[in-house]
Amino acid sequence: MSTAERLIESTRELLWERGYTGTSPRAIQQRAGAGQGSMYHHFSGKPELALAAMRRSAEQLRADAEAWLGGPGGAAERITGYLLSEREVLRGCPVGRMAQDPEVVGDPGMSETVDGAFRWLRGRLEEVLEEGRRGGEFPAGLDASGTAAVIAAVLQGGYVLARAAGSAEPFERAVGGVLDLLGIPSAAVAA
Amino acid sequence: MSTAERLIESTRELLWERGYTGTSPRAIQQRAGAGQGSMYHHFSGKPELALAAMRRSAEQLRADAEAWLGGPGGAAERITGYLLSEREVLRGCPVGRMAQDPEVVGDPGMSETVDGAFRWLRGRLEEVLEEGRRGGEFPAGLDASGTAAVIAAVLQGGYVLARAAGSAEPFERAVGGVLDLLGIPSAAVAA
């Protein structure tokens, strides 16, 4: 792995664990095993490096979701697969975590990266929900846009509640609950 | 307001804005207009002060929810009232925000305070949902426990998405969507 690559990956991990404010340039250099000169050779500073790391986390969120939402099967099956896909729930969401930090929210490039990932996710969920609604998998009156927002919020809120509890239980209960409200049989949920 | 009171309130605001790691004892003293000696006269340090501030935020969360959930009207009406009650959405949730911070999650007293508020909220929502289910306001097959987890997660995730977007829209859309999934007429939501 190149030094620039190690710096980005180390920043990604630190942002996930400690947030933007809690991540110092020195901590990044230590984790990446890179000197200060090397870091500033590759990046203008922590903001540029953090933006690269956030872009990577946002791409990963999209790739993880698309693997299920764009996969084979009906709409309900793909949404179920995505909601029940394996996650490190107690680490929280590397993208959602960034939204707490005033320095991130106040930076146009960083906040656009974080919000862009969520806008994409909501749009993609809406497409699949709408496909399922038209195909008769969901009630004809389903509000695909509102339900997509519910699903995105349940995932982000599930992470928050799980971290508070020190247990994946609230996340899993909320995900099971939203599938139940969508009328997806709980046998599929338990599987 | 007494000095101790000013210190707690200042800490509460700073934790809400900047998180635990981002809040220094010095920033607390400055906002409270209190000297270092005064702060350490009243509190053993930042952890004790932060715990008092978090307890206050947790009490506020409970009081705000109970004002609606324990108020007059049917179950659907009370849950709708709570979900649509006025919130400073873009500030995020002062309790949920704490769950991101590894120092908070790693401290037994603080994490119990944060998690206790959410456990209480989920239990209270479950009671009201169950009351509505028994009274025929919700489908007989409603999973009150799962739905309570969905509602708590939608609120927390709604804050995360709204902060990322710099707009209350994702919060409002998710809240409207969950009321829709519960079969609560959107006329009531729009009101």
Side-chain angles (χ1 to χ4, degrees), chain A residues 79-91:
Chain A
I79 286 169
T80 305
Y82 174 53
L83 285 173
L84 300 182
S85 64
E86 207 166 333
R87 284 179 169 86
E88 296 179 273
V89 172
L90 292 184
R91 286 184 82 183

Side-chain angles (χ1 to χ4, degrees), chain B residues 124-147:
Chain B
R124 194 69 184 89
L125 284 166
E126 182 177 346
E127 284 172 5
V128 179
L129 287 161
E130 183 58 25
E131 177 194 324
R133 191 191 67 78
R134 281 198 314 269
E137 289 186 74
F138 300 121
L142 183 84
D143 170 8
S145 166
T147 305

